[in-house]
Amino acid sequence: VVFVGLAGSGKGTQAKLVAKETGLAHISTGDLLRGATGELKEQVDEVINSGRLIPNDLMLHILNERIQKPDCRAGIILDGFPRNLEQAKLLDHQMQISKVVEISVSDDEVMKRMLGRVTCKECGAGYNLHTAPKPADSKKCDECGGELVRRKDDNPEAIRKRIATYHEDTEPILKHYGDKVVKVNGKRDINDIKKDILKVLKSD
Ligand code: AMP
């Protein structure tokens, strides 16, 4: 299953929740890149922080390593991949895509959300200082007490670039997937969105 949506649409949050309920493995290519170390980290950090996409061959190489792991045998939720038509075509040779969930939110809304987005440095839990889920203390994680930090690419310039990249490069993949695409309104309660996605996935 592929989850598609603007950065800040709630795609990552929903992918995590739905993976937990369905037993599918959750693969976020953004998380894979942020977890890179050594030489690879140096290579990808500058690109990520500017809001551009990293080269397709490098991205595919990293993804291929991840999908070899045993947790992927039951099926996968891809969160953040494919990001352009070439990646979508390459993916077609590797696996069968059953559904594409498009989480739809306006550019203005994602801009607002991303400027408020913080993540726990320790456990990775996500919060928003302007919208839900708000942490009780703006500096501390409700779950584990860890420090809440902003992603380096959540600054106005990089956000604008990511929105433009989404419309130019990522949106065309929706046409490629045709009637596999199911559009879900992402400007609602997190639980209602999750319920809708689960319904869509069970309808097979
Ligand atoms: P995300 O966490 O999905 O918002 O991804 C953060 C950043 O990682 C993106 O802005 C890109 O620079 C990079 N990235 C994530 N997924 C991909 C991909 N499939 N292809 C190229 N770059 C990616």
Side-chain angles (χ1 to χ4, degrees):
V1 181
V2 172
F3 279 32
V4 184
L6 277 161
S9 61
K11 153 177 75 74
T13 303
Q14 291 298 334
K16 257 187 220 142
L17 292 171
V18 173
K20 216 171 170 182
E21 294 236 359
T22 55
L24 297 170
H26 170 214
I27 300 184
S28 153
T29 44
D31 283 351
L32 288 178
L33 294 169
R34 280 184 289 277
T37 51
E39 208 177 293
L40 181 61
K41 185 175 168 56
E42 276 171 35
Q43 233 177 314
V44 300
D45 263 9
E46 191 267 326
V47 181
I48 293 177
N49 294 338
S50 70
R52 286 174 289 129
L53 294 180
I54 71 151
N56 289 339
D57 51 351
L58 180 59
M59 187 70 257
L60 209 75
H61 173 75
I62 296 169
L63 179 70
N64 274 333
E65 266 186 12
R66 175 65 185 87
I67 61 179
Q68 305 303 325
K69 300 211 171 136
D71 65 322
C72 295
R73 281 190 206 131
I76 303 170
I77 294 178
L78 281 175
D79 160 14
F81 191 98
R83 275 284 224 287
N84 57 36
L85 211 47
E86 193 188 332
Q87 289 182 0
K89 287 179 181 163
L90 290 168
L91 191 64
D92 286 343
H93 296 297
Q94 301 221 327
M95 59 182 88
Q96 199 193 329
I97 308 298
S98 54
K99 280 266 172 352
V100 176
V101 178
E102 178 194 3
I103 303 186
S104 152
V105 176
S106 73
D107 293 1
D108 287 349
E109 174 69 16
V110 294
M111 179 62 99
K112 189 175 101 192
R113 286 186 189 177
M114 277 194 279
L115 290 173
R117 185 154 82 163
V118 286
T119 314
C120 174
K121 222 174 155 181
E122 304 301 325
C123 73
Y127 299 93
N128 203 295
L129 303 178
H130 305 319
T131 58
K134 264 190 202 173
D137 175 334
S138 65
K139 294 198 171 67
K140 258 199 229 157
C141 176
D142 289 353
E143 305 283 330
C144 75
E147 186 191 349
L148 295 180
V149 293
R150 220 176 260 282
R151 269 168 51 169
K152 269 201 195 142
D153 55 348
D154 281 348
N155 64 74
E157 201 187 325
I159 294 170
R160 267 193 290 276
K161 178 68 193 157
R162 278 146 79 199
I163 292 174
T165 303
Y166 179 81
H167 292 306
E168 277 164 34
D169 297 338
T170 309
E171 246 167 19
I173 72 172
L174 295 170
K175 209 170 160 200
H176 174 77
Y177 287 123
D179 56 11
K180 286 185 181 161
V181 179
V182 182
K183 192 169 175 166
V184 175
N185 175 1
K187 209 187 163 203
R188 290 175 303 147
D189 176 78
I190 288 181
N191 258 313
D192 291 341
I193 301 171
K194 183 185 83 176
K195 274 188 212 149
D196 270 11
I197 297 174
L198 288 172
K199 231 188 275 168
V200 165
L201 298 188
K202 279 188 190 127
S203 72
D204 267 342

